[in-house]
Amino acid sequence: MSSRMEVQVFGVRKDADTRKALRFFSERRIKTHFVDFNKRSPSVGELRRFAQKHGIQALTHPTSSRGHDPGLARARPSEGEGLQRLSEEPSLLRMPLVRYRNQVTIGPAEETWSAWIQGG
């Protein structure tokens, strides 16, 4: 069943966790559609899928210096404004974002990905 499985991996090639995700699926011969944020920024709609499942805070990279801007912390943007900002500045995102059918993960999630493969 895994031969027909296809996942989408969103991120940037220079990100170590994104490379690990791509390698994880490649080693298991899972077809992967990679979306490079350096070439195409994520849409607000794409990000909303991940935010609905995990929350907008999970999308923000914890060590992003721009994400920890004191002005941002005080401003507390609405979800729509936050997703718009992440769409415009994908370097603030925690990567990789991985989608399989209606399921999504943020960051490294090999246990979840393995379960997807086992479930087909």
Side-chain angles (χ1 to χ4, degrees), residues 1-7 24-32 100-101 113-120:
M1 178 80 71
S2 63
S3 64
R4 290 187 277 153
M5 183 177 179
E6 183 174 345
V7 296
F24 175 90
F25 292 111
S26 174
E27 289 172 351
R28 288 153 182 85
R29 294 186 173 97
I30 304 299
K31 186 174 180 182
T32 305
Y100 170 60
R101 296 183 179 166
W113 303 335
S114 292
W116 291 350
I117 294 167
Q118 296 303 316

Side-chain angles (χ1 to χ4, degrees), residues 50-61:
F50 292 89
Q52 286 172 338
K53 174 75 174 175
H54 298 283
I56 194 166
Q57 295 301 323
L59 279 169
T60 306
H61 196 283

Side-chain angles (χ1 to χ4, degrees), residues 27-112:
E27 289 172 351
R28 288 153 182 85
R29 294 186 173 97
I30 304 299
K31 186 174 180 182
T32 305
H33 176 74
F34 177 60
V35 178
D36 188 339
F37 288 153
N38 284 331
K39 295 180 181 175
R40 184 177 77 82
S41 292
S43 72
V44 171
E46 286 169 333
L47 295 177
R48 185 169 284 118
R49 255 187 227 122
F50 292 89
Q52 286 172 338
K53 174 75 174 175
H54 298 283
I56 194 166
Q57 295 301 323
L59 279 169
T60 306
H61 196 283
T63 60
S64 167
S65 59
R66 298 179 84 177
H68 291 306
D69 179 343
L72 278 178
R74 282 193 301 274
R76 295 208 176 177
S78 70
E79 181 177 291
E81 292 168 333
L83 291 175
Q84 183 64 42
R85 170 108 190 262
L86 291 172
S87 174
E88 293 167 359
E89 297 186 54
S91 62
L92 298 175
L93 287 167
R94 184 168 178 221
M95 293 178 221
L97 305 179
V98 180
R99 182 165 68 100
Y100 170 60
R101 296 183 179 166
N102 293 325
Q103 302 172 66
V104 296
T105 61
I106 300 171
E110 289 188 14
E111 284 184 25
T112 302

